[in-house]
């Protein structure tokens, strides 16, 4: 599982027409030089086929490997908000872990303009709705809608990590828990399971037998 899924996904979003167009209309900065042509954009219908729960799980997994001051994730019963520092994205290009290498040149050249547009960090919010979900980015002091096409660009970068999400794992009783990202990681790697398809009991007690099974699964010595 590659470390910088989120940095790659958000860096591609920086150069799409939706973000740039909103900023230009508000006269925040001159973004003519930071709009990057879209590449390999899948049909919007493909994005909408991915349920909110899977988007949610992907974003949770993206926090693994980052320091707390680099990425923060806030979850509620119907939304997930991710905040990643521009410095962390820049560092991911320097150490070669960003999944969007073709965006490196534009990102570095326009780093200061991006700070004017987003501040020190990019914030993305995905909110569940009756018809699916909506996405927003925080810019110029308020939340602005992100088009399905722009979100689709971001999801395409996640696909480069070659992660096949398991069904289930959207544990409603773990939403907002401090260990939620780690719970999701262990679930996706078949080391732990929930108490049901939608519950985990994150504050429950672990028996010695359960702990032994977890250790053996993590070491690859025990089948599930």
């Amino acid at each position: 599982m590659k470390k910088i899924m989120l940095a790659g996904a958000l860096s591609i979003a920086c150069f799409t027409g939706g973000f740039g167009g909103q900023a230009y209309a508000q006269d925040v900065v001159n973004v003519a030089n930071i709009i990057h042509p879209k590449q390999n954009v899948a049909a919007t219908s493909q994005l909408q086929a991915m349920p909110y729960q899977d988007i949610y799980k992907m974003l949770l997994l993206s926090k693994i490997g980052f320091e707390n001051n680099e990425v923060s994730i806030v979850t509620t019963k119907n939304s997930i908000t991710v905040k990643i520092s521009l410095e962390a994205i820049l560092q991911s290009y320097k150490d070669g872990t960003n999944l969007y290498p073709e965006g490196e040149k534009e990102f570095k050249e326009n780093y200061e303009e991006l700070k004017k547009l987003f501040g020190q960090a990019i914030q993305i919010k995905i909110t569940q709705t009756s018809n699916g979900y909506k996405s927003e980015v925080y810019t110029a002091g308020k939340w602005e809608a992100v088009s399905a096409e722009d979100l689709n660009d971001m999801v395409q970068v996640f696909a480069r990590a070659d992660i096949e999400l398991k069904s289930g794992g959207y544990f409603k009783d773990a939403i907002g828990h401090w260990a939620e990202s780690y719970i999701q990681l262990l679930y996706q790697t078949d080391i732990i399971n929930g108490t049901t398809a939608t519950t985990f009991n994150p504050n429950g007690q672990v028996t010695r037998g359960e702990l032994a099974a977890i250790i053996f699964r993590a070491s690859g010595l025990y089948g599930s």
Side-chain angles (χ1 to χ4, degrees), residues 35-53:
I35 298 176
H36 184 72
K38 297 179 182 180
Q39 301 179 18
N40 301 320
V41 178
T44 301
S45 60
Q46 294 179 0
L47 169 65
Q48 293 300 325
M50 178 175 286
Y52 167 81
Q53 288 81 0

Side-chain angles (χ1 to χ4, degrees), residues 51-101:
Y52 167 81
Q53 288 81 0
D54 283 351
I55 296 284
Y56 184 98
K57 290 186 290 185
M58 284 198 306
L59 292 176
L60 282 181
L61 291 171
S62 296
K63 190 178 188 308
I64 304 299
F66 285 103
E67 300 293 336
N68 288 334
N69 63 339
E70 295 177 326
V71 173
S72 67
I73 292 182
V74 176
T75 58
T76 72
K77 64 179 181 180
N78 65 351
S79 72
I80 181 167
T81 303
V82 181
K83 180 178 181 180
I84 180 170
S85 74
L86 288 173
E87 178 61 32
I89 298 177
L90 182 62
Q91 183 58 44
S92 72
Y93 278 126
K94 291 179 179 179
D95 61 26
T97 53
N98 196 297
L99 295 183
Y100 183 53

Side-chain angles (χ1 to χ4, degrees), residues 155 209 224:
V155 172
S224 55

Side-chain angles (χ1 to χ4, degrees), residues 4 10 15 17 30 46 58 64 77 86 93 111 117 121 141 162 170 177 182 187 211:
I4 312 296
L10 291 183
F15 304 110
N30 182 357
Q46 294 179 0
M58 284 198 306
I64 304 299
K77 64 179 181 180
L86 288 173
Y93 278 126
Y111 185 73
L117 181 61
D162 296 325
Y170 182 66
H177 193 275
Y182 300 101
Y187 174 80
L211 179 59

Side-chain angles (χ1 to χ4, degrees), residues 103-162:
E104 180 176 3
K105 182 175 182 292
E106 290 86 350
F107 185 86
K108 289 182 176 179
E109 288 178 350
N110 298 286
Y111 185 73
E112 294 304 317
E113 292 299 305
L114 290 169
K115 286 202 294 186
K116 292 177 183 177
L117 181 61
F118 298 110
Q120 296 298 321
I122 300 175
Q123 297 183 69
I124 294 284
K125 179 164 61 176
I126 311 295
T127 305
Q128 192 172 25
T129 67
S130 58
N131 296 323
Y133 48 84
K134 66 177 182 179
S135 55
E136 299 169 285
V137 62
Y138 193 78
T139 180
K142 62 181 180 179
W143 291 101
E144 296 283 355
V146 174
S147 70
E149 289 84 0
D150 288 343
L151 184 60
N152 197 49
D153 282 351
M154 189 174 74
V155 172
Q156 295 309 302
V157 177
F158 278 106
R160 299 182 183 187
D162 296 325

Side-chain angles (χ1 to χ4, degrees), residues 56 75 171-180 183 198 200-202:
Y56 184 98
T75 58
F171 301 124
K172 295 181 179 179
D173 61 347
I175 291 175
H177 193 275
W178 67 267
E180 190 177 7
I183 290 169
T198 59
F200 184 79
N201 190 19

Side-chain angles (χ1 to χ4, degrees), residues 191 209-223:
I191 294 174
E210 289 171 337
L211 179 59
I214 289 171
I215 293 172
F216 282 126
R217 287 187 185 124
S219 64
L221 299 175
Y222 182 73

